[in-house]
């Protein structure tokens, strides 16, 4: 039986390697082997921020199985897989060497097809997946990565190609482009350089293109991406007076309905407890399928709670005094620190101003989104940057949360998702923004527990809003710091 073989091989491999093992290696290996043998749907929830050593437990049953597989990974995980995990597997036991075929069209006898999310969407649309079971190791990013894979982007060059392909409609196309350009470029500037577009803004262009044929890429895809389940925005380059048109689905697994239902699937993700902490039940079909087996493999109990500094009566982010509050508290938190400090906030103006002010105080120790800080350096960064780059940096001794990672309604995609929930009479904050924010928070601060560092939250909403208790619940276990000491 595949489960027994995977268990024995992995146990022998781990014994040869020695070291401090992840406590769920054998459990994960048996779960994956069982799912592959039965061709069912298995969802494995890992603790946010857990060490990526679980990869070996996933790969051993994949190497021993004989069924055709599609292994779907992001670019970062692909690099880790090819440079670290597969060589480790081959060195440990040459009989477990796992051949992976890459590219859009692997040979029919290729047992393991390694592909990214855009290739997965293409294979699904072209019906080339066959009977392959899916193995998806990053469920926490699945929604966002599939949305990006389905995205349609129209650049200025695509408008030129369209006019050349349809010279009879050139005057109408120029008029429509000029109308959209005036609307987009006259919009007040915002930090993310994005301008949301309503369906009625695109309607004249859509009506015209439906009368024209043939259309060069990507216009057919743009036409096909229609309905209430999609939203559009423009990304503006104000210096060049140019803009790109972007269109994405609100719920990508709705567009790809059936992707995970018609074949076996093993889905792993750091999905621990964000919705539970937000007071929301975990939707059964959130990941596009009803799992036959759903297991949570949490971290072992933590001996020491996370030290949390979150003073009472802090100003709210919309307060005129908030920038000064960040500077004063940031200065106190950096003083006496001998390790790395990471300051996280997404507001560009606040972040850049705080970086400059701290640099005036502490000199070259303070950097902005740099992966080469000093040993006692201070990195000021966006949440997205930190979540992407934290594996390349030493573990911080302190994380300062300037603003909780609650998505802004200035982002057109977030605004469109909120509008859809609001029109359905649903609680858009607690069903969408808060769970997503808690997941990002848990992923961002997980390294502190391994380092024994402290967390500071300077966002007054933590104590001043009713949902702040759910944020505190998501951070458990923690102990309150009433005063700051050198660290």
């Amino acid at each position: 039986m595949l489960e027994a073989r995977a268990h024995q091989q992995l146990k022998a491999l781990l014994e040869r390697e020695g070291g401090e093992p992840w406590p769920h290696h054998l459990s994960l290996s048996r779960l994956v082997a069982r799912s592959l043998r039965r061709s069912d749907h298995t969802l494995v929830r890992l603790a946010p921020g857990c060490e990526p050593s679980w990869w070996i437990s996933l790969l051993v049953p994949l190497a021993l199985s004989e069924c055709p597989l599609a292994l779907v990974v992001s670019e970062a995980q692909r690099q880790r897989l090819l440079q670290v995990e597969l060589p480790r597997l081959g060195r440990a036991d040459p009989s477990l060497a796992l051949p992976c075929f890459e590219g859009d069209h692997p040979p029919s006898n290729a047992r393991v097809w390694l592909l990214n999310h855009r290739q997965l969407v293409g294979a699904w649309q072209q019906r080339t997946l066959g009977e392959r079971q899916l193995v998806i190791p990053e469920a926490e990013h699945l929604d966002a990565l599939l949305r990006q894979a389905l995205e349609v982007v129209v650049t200025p060059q695509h408008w030129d190609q369209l006019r050349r392909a349809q010279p009879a409609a050139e005057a109408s196309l120029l008029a429509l482009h000029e109308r959209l350009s005036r609307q987009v470029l006259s919009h007040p500037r915002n930090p993310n350089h994005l301008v949301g577009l309503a369906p009625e803004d695109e309607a004249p262009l859509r009506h015209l293109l439906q009368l024209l044929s043939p259309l060069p890429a990507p216009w057919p895809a743009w036409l096909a991406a229609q309905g209430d389940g999609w939203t559009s925005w423009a990304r503006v380059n104000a210096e060049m007076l140019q803009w790109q048109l972007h269109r994405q689905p609100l719920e990508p697994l709705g567009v790809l309905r059936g992707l995970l239902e018609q074949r076996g699937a093993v889905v792993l993700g750091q999905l621990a407890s964000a919705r539970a902490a937000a007071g929301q039940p975990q939707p059964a079909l959130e990941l596009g399928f009803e799992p036959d087996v759903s297991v949570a493999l949490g971290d072992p109990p933590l001996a020491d709670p996370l030290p949390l500094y979150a003073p009472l009566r802090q100003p709210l982010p919309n307060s005129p005094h908030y920038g000064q509050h960040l500077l004063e508290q940031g200065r106190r938190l950096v003083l006496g620190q001998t390790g790395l400090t990471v300051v996280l906030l997404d507001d560009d103006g606040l972040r850049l101003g705080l970086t400059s002010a701290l640099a005036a105080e502490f000199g070259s120790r303070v950097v902005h989104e740099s992966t080469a800080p000093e040993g006692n350096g201070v990195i000021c960064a966006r949440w997205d940057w930190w979540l992407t780059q934290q594996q390349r940096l030493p573990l911080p001794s302190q994380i300062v949360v300037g603003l909780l990672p609650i998505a802004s309604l200035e982002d057109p995609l977030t605004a469109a998702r909120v509008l859809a929930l609001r029109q359905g009479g649903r609680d858009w904050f607690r069903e969408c923004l808060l769970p997503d924010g808690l997941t990002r928070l848990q992923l961002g601060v997980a390294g502190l527990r391994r380092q024994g560092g402290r967390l500071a939250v300077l966002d007054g909403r933590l104590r001043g809003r009713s949902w702040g208790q759910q944020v505190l619940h998501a951070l458990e276990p923690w102990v309150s710091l009433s005063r700051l000491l050198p660290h």
Side-chain angles (χ1 to χ4, degrees):
M1 186 179 293
L2 182 58
E3 294 97 304
R5 292 170 57 210
H7 180 100
Q8 293 169 358
Q9 291 271 27
L10 179 60
K11 186 175 181 180
L13 187 155
L14 293 173
E15 288 175 351
R16 286 196 298 271
E17 288 191 340
E20 185 73 20
W22 183 55
H24 303 296
H25 275 303
L26 298 177
S27 297
L28 177 57
S29 177
R30 289 194 300 270
L31 285 167
V32 173
R34 178 185 184 277
S35 182
L36 296 179
R37 179 176 61 83
R38 295 166 60 97
S39 190
D40 63 9
H41 294 147
T42 296
L43 174 62
V44 181
R45 300 176 183 277
L46 306 174
C50 71
E51 288 286 346
S53 59
W54 52 264
W55 260 108
I56 197 73
S57 310
L58 172 64
L59 293 177
V60 167
L62 298 189
L64 294 174
S65 172
E66 297 180 357
C67 58
L69 304 170
L71 179 57
V72 186
V73 293
S74 66
E75 181 57 30
Q77 288 288 13
R78 176 181 170 276
Q79 293 295 330
R80 179 177 183 87
L81 178 67
L82 298 180
Q83 298 176 10
V84 179
E85 302 300 343
L86 288 180
R88 174 191 177 190
L89 189 66
R91 287 193 303 269
D93 189 341
S95 68
L96 293 176
L98 182 64
C100 293
F101 290 84
E102 302 177 67
D104 295 333
H105 304 287
S108 58
N109 61 348
R111 194 174 64 79
V112 180
W113 183 8
L114 182 64
L115 66 171
N116 59 34
H117 294 76
R118 188 174 295 279
Q119 291 171 322
L120 173 64
V121 169
W124 166 251
Q125 293 172 338
Q126 298 167 22
R127 303 182 183 276
T128 58
L129 277 177
E131 297 181 354
R132 294 180 183 274
Q133 297 189 51
L134 295 178
V135 181
I136 304 176
E138 297 172 279
E140 68 273 19
H141 302 308
L142 181 61
D143 198 61
L145 289 170
L146 286 179
R147 187 179 289 115
Q148 292 172 13
L150 288 163
E151 182 180 36
V152 181
V153 180
V154 178
T155 67
Q157 291 73 24
H158 293 140
W159 285 91
D160 294 337
Q161 293 168 6
L162 177 61
R163 291 201 308 274
R164 289 194 293 268
Q166 295 291 337
E170 182 174 5
S172 298
L173 290 169
L174 284 171
L176 289 173
H177 184 268
E178 183 180 353
R179 174 184 171 185
L180 284 171
S181 295
R182 283 199 304 269
Q183 178 180 345
V184 168
L185 297 176
S186 64
H187 193 276
R189 291 193 184 186
N190 55 39
N192 55 17
H193 308 291
L194 304 180
V195 178
L197 295 174
E200 54 269 23
D201 299 327
E202 298 177 301
L205 176 62
R206 187 171 294 278
H207 293 157
L208 175 60
L209 294 187
Q210 287 171 345
L211 302 174
L212 303 177
S213 180
L215 297 174
W219 293 102
W222 185 82
L223 267 182
Q226 59 181 321
D228 295 337
W230 293 77
T231 190
S232 295
W233 65 88
R235 182 178 295 276
V236 180
N237 184 335
E239 288 73 21
M240 300 292 293
L241 294 179
Q242 292 182 344
W243 52 277
Q244 291 184 347
L245 179 60
H246 293 251
R247 190 157 178 79
Q248 284 189 5
L250 300 181
E251 301 295 339
L253 285 167
V255 176
L256 301 170
R257 191 172 302 280
L259 172 64
L260 301 178
E261 295 173 356
Q262 300 175 7
R263 66 191 72 250
V266 179
V267 180
L268 302 87
Q270 300 176 38
L271 300 164
S273 58
R275 287 192 176 274
Q280 293 294 322
Q282 190 75 35
L285 298 176
E286 184 185 46
L287 294 172
F289 70 105
E290 180 75 59
D292 300 299
V293 178
S294 180
V295 179
L297 301 179
D299 280 340
L302 299 169
D304 299 318
L306 179 66
L308 173 63
Y309 176 72
L312 298 173
R313 295 182 294 278
Q314 297 189 98
L316 297 176
N318 58 359
S319 164
H321 309 294
Y322 192 69
Q324 185 62 30
H325 165 71
L326 285 179
L327 177 58
E328 292 174 357
Q329 290 289 349
R331 186 185 295 119
R332 294 182 61 206
L333 287 160
V334 172
L335 282 171
Q337 283 292 304
T338 57
L340 179 65
T341 295
V342 178
V343 182
L344 299 174
L345 66 164
D346 281 341
D347 185 290
D348 286 351
L350 282 175
R351 186 181 66 257
L352 295 175
L354 179 63
T355 304
S356 299
L358 290 177
E361 181 95 9
F362 299 104
S364 60
R365 287 175 58 189
V366 182
V367 293
H368 183 261
E369 296 187 353
S370 168
T371 55
E374 297 181 14
N376 64 342
V378 180
I379 302 176
C380 298
R382 294 166 292 123
W383 278 93
D384 279 345
W385 184 90
W386 171 242
L387 292 174
T388 303
Q389 302 293 335
Q390 61 178 327
Q391 297 296 331
R392 302 173 57 192
L393 289 158
L395 291 174
S397 63
Q398 174 178 239
I399 289 181
V400 179
V401 176
L403 288 173
L404 291 166
I406 306 296
S408 169
L409 294 183
E410 290 186 358
D411 176 67
L413 177 61
T414 300
R417 295 176 66 196
V418 165
L419 178 61
L421 290 172
R422 182 181 289 159
Q423 289 174 341
R426 296 164 63 182
D427 187 340
W428 52 270
F429 182 77
R430 285 178 170 79
E431 288 189 42
C432 178
L433 300 192
L434 184 57
D436 289 352
L438 295 186
T439 296
R440 290 159 62 81
L441 179 63
Q442 289 174 327
L443 292 171
V445 306
L448 285 179
R449 300 190 188 276
R450 296 195 295 272
Q451 179 73 1
R454 72 184 177 194
L455 172 65
V457 180
L458 305 182
D459 191 327
R461 295 174 294 179
L462 180 68
R463 304 288 192 180
R465 294 287 185 263
S466 60
W467 49 265
Q469 288 300 316
Q470 288 149 12
V471 179
L472 294 173
H473 178 66
L475 292 172
E476 290 181 347
W478 55 271
V479 61
S480 179
L481 290 180
S482 58
R483 59 195 181 97
L484 295 176
L485 298 173
H487 190 66

